[in-house]
Amino acid sequence: MLTAVFKKLFFTFLLAALIAVPVFGQKRGNSVALFQQGVALAKKGDLARAVNKLLEAVKANPKYYEAYATLGLALQNSQRYSEAQDAFRRAIDLRPAQADPHLLLGGLLQRMNDADGAIAEFQTAIKLDPRSAEAYSALGFVLAAKNQLPEAIK
């Protein structure tokens, strides 16, 4: 169930990333082109080349939130979990008040069998976006897996 939630989130994020316009202060030129190439490669399933393009994008613009979040997803799907964690944490640094990167990091931590870390990230995502059905669902799933059913039902 949780895997389906994150697959949906992954593809939703990729679609949003395709149409994303860099935020104020970001350099448009080369970093955006590299980012778009990386997203296109990820959609085709060429994760190794996608990761390389996304790494180039964040090197060209170290404040490119969308590129870091998408890089984290591509690394996660390449089973490069430590690097994915770094990318998600950088995305959090760039947008600390946004729930999505916490949800992404929580999903990665859950995949890495770090239930406590995942719970903390999902709880942070809920604090930042109390309407996030994905965050509540993910939190409930991890709590249930830890046999903490009373907390999961809340």
Side-chain angles (χ1 to χ4, degrees):
M1 178 175 142
L2 188 60
T3 302
V5 169
F6 287 105
K7 281 184 181 180
K8 178 183 173 189
L9 183 62
F10 175 74
F11 289 111
T12 301
F13 197 85
L14 278 179
L15 180 60
L18 276 174
I19 59 174
V21 176
V23 296
F24 177 78
Q26 289 183 343
K27 299 173 187 171
R28 292 182 128 273
N30 195 37
S31 62
V32 174
L34 292 166
F35 169 73
Q36 291 172 339
Q37 291 169 16
V39 170
L41 289 165
K43 284 184 68 175
K44 291 179 185 175
D46 190 348
L47 294 176
R49 288 179 54 209
V51 166
N52 288 336
K53 288 294 180 186
L54 293 165
L55 284 169
E56 289 180 48
V58 298
K59 184 177 179 183
N61 184 357
K63 294 184 179 184
Y64 201 163
Y65 163 79
E66 291 85 356
Y68 275 105
T70 306
L71 173 62
L73 290 168
L75 289 164
Q76 176 177 321
N77 285 305
S78 299
Q79 297 182 351
R80 294 167 61 178
Y81 298 143
S82 178
E83 294 168 273
Q85 192 172 2
D86 292 342
F88 290 143
R89 290 195 188 284
R90 180 66 180 132
I92 289 169
D93 289 344
L94 292 170
R95 301 255 180 101
Q98 191 165 336
D100 289 342
H102 291 281
L103 187 57
L104 293 170
L105 179 56
L108 172 65
L109 293 173
Q110 189 275 330
R111 191 178 230 183
M112 295 171 65
N113 295 316
D114 180 358
D116 292 333
I119 289 168
E121 292 301 325
F122 296 144
Q123 288 173 334
T124 299
I126 289 168
K127 286 178 187 169
L128 294 170
D129 182 3
R131 296 186 212 168
S132 174
E134 293 90 354
Y136 281 106
S137 176
L139 177 61
F141 181 84
V142 175
L143 288 170
K146 283 190 68 172
N147 204 25
Q148 296 179 357
L149 297 178
E151 291 88 353
I153 294 171
K154 290 180 190 177

